Amino acid sequence: MDGAPETPRSGQPPSDASPASAKSAASAVARPASEQPLDTPVPERLGEWRPAEDVIQVVRSPQPGATRGTWRAFRETARGLRTVFGQILRGPTTVQYPEEKVPVFPRFRGRHKLHRFEDIPHNGAQAGLEKCVGCSLCAAACPADCIRVVAAENTPENRVSAGERYAAVYEINLAQCIFCGYCEAACPFDAITMGHDYELSDYDREDLIFTKEMLLAEAIERTPLRNEDE
Ligand code: SF4
Ligand code: SF4
């Protein structure tokens, strides 16, 4: 446009620039941007954007042609129909819950259980004592911070567990639990394990705090187990 000042291209000094400034601009452009002094004007440091040189050309595969395209569409449609008809032959998969329960795999991690010794423990204490010794390793391993253990000393008159101490309070807040199984892995006495019960919904959050008595009680085995090969 007439009268408009000409924009200098990167590496070219403006026409009215002095020889000294032209020389410094040219030397600034010749060096990489990271090595240029910070007082160098940004356009000279970074260079002028030339869209025509920066275009990325996308190379596409050749068009398949009419015959090959028709065959490809037919093949993909047939594949989809095979999946549909395969499901029809397998029959409906709707489960009439809650009358009918979805079986879980044996390693499914559901509601926790606390255990007692069923026979005489290794240190000769009586059977039926709690396995938990209140060491709090499970609480330390819990990433959701949902286990609370308060330990107390066993006495000859009141022996609860086979160790020196027992869990006077043991609570798991199942509203916070993420069923990761770290508590089960951390327990040195297999005192806590994950069961298979997954029906844990309730109306009140407080009811999802399971106490020691609830965890020691025999779980109502309502969840059927699925075989590994099913
Ligand atoms: S299963 Fe995981 S989140 Fe739940 S109580 Fe155990 S360690 Fe904590
Ligand atoms: S359940 Fe196991 S890890 Fe947790 S306090 Fe009891 S003995 Fe320790």
Side-chain angles (χ1 to χ4, degrees), residues 125-159:
Q126 68 205 67
L129 290 177
E130 294 173 10
K131 287 188 176 181
C132 176
V133 296
C135 66
S136 293
L137 283 177
C138 51
C142 176
D145 199 16
C146 61
I147 302 180
R148 187 167 86 96
V149 182
V150 178
E153 296 286 333
N154 281 309
T155 59
E157 301 78 41
N158 180 33
R159 173 161 285 281

Side-chain angles (χ1 to χ4, degrees), residues 21-91:
S21 66
K23 189 176 172 189
S24 82
S27 66
V29 170
R31 284 181 286 165
S34 58
E35 294 176 12
Q36 293 178 12
L38 289 177
D39 57 348
T40 309
V42 171
E44 289 176 14
R45 266 195 286 147
L46 301 181
E48 191 178 336
W49 182 50
R50 299 185 181 95
E53 294 174 13
D54 291 342
V55 168
I56 298 170
Q57 192 178 2
V58 178
V59 180
R60 297 185 188 282
S61 57
Q63 290 296 313
T67 311
R68 205 175 160 79
T70 308
W71 163 245
R72 189 183 287 180
F74 172 76
R75 189 185 60 193
E76 295 306 318
T77 307
R79 251 172 31 137
L81 286 174
R82 189 181 66 182
T83 305
V84 171
F85 287 117
Q87 290 298 318
I88 289 173
L89 293 176
R90 286 175 62 179

Side-chain angles (χ1 to χ4, degrees), residues 1-228:
M1 196 165 44
D2 284 346
E6 189 184 344
T7 306
R9 291 179 67 82
S10 174
Q12 292 180 348
S15 55
D16 58 345
S18 66
S21 66
K23 189 176 172 189
S24 82
S27 66
V29 170
R31 284 181 286 165
S34 58
E35 294 176 12
Q36 293 178 12
L38 289 177
D39 57 348
T40 309
V42 171
E44 289 176 14
R45 266 195 286 147
L46 301 181
E48 191 178 336
W49 182 50
R50 299 185 181 95
E53 294 174 13
D54 291 342
V55 168
I56 298 170
Q57 192 178 2
V58 178
V59 180
R60 297 185 188 282
S61 57
Q63 290 296 313
T67 311
R68 205 175 160 79
T70 308
W71 163 245
R72 189 183 287 180
F74 172 76
R75 189 185 60 193
E76 295 306 318
T77 307
R79 251 172 31 137
L81 286 174
R82 189 181 66 182
T83 305
V84 171
F85 287 117
Q87 290 298 318
I88 289 173
L89 293 176
R90 286 175 62 179
T93 54
T94 308
V95 175
Q96 301 300 327
Y97 184 85
E99 290 77 23
E100 196 184 330
K101 312 251 187 311
V102 177
V104 296
F105 286 104
R107 293 176 65 187
F108 176 85
R109 292 195 292 264
R111 203 202 86 160
H112 309 65
K113 291 180 187 173
L114 279 176
H115 296 275
R116 296 177 186 274
F117 284 104
E118 288 173 6
D119 41 24
I120 307 289
H122 61 279
N123 62 357
Q126 68 205 67
L129 290 177
E130 294 173 10
K131 287 188 176 181
C132 176
V133 296
C135 66
S136 293
L137 283 177
C138 51
C142 176
D145 199 16
C146 61
I147 302 180
R148 187 167 86 96
V149 182
V150 178
E153 296 286 333
N154 281 309
T155 59
E157 301 78 41
N158 180 33
R159 173 161 285 281
V160 179
S161 78
E164 285 181 19
R165 301 201 298 169
Y166 69 99
V169 176
Y170 194 103
E171 289 176 354
I172 300 182
N173 186 345
L174 290 181
Q176 278 177 239
C177 175
I178 55 172
F179 297 89
C180 61
Y182 283 11
C183 50
E184 183 183 38
C187 181
F189 301 108
D190 293 334
I192 187 161
T193 56
M194 310 283 290
H196 298 124
D197 202 354
Y198 58 77
E199 294 171 305
L200 297 167
S201 56
D202 221 313
Y203 291 104
D204 198 333
R205 286 185 184 196
E206 304 247 321
D207 294 339
L208 288 171
I209 299 175
F210 277 52
T211 61
K212 186 173 94 168
E213 289 67 35
M214 294 162 79
L215 295 166
L216 276 169
E218 200 52 54
I220 306 163
E221 193 56 70
R222 293 171 299 183
T223 312
L225 276 186
R226 182 196 302 246
N227 293 324
E228 291 278 8

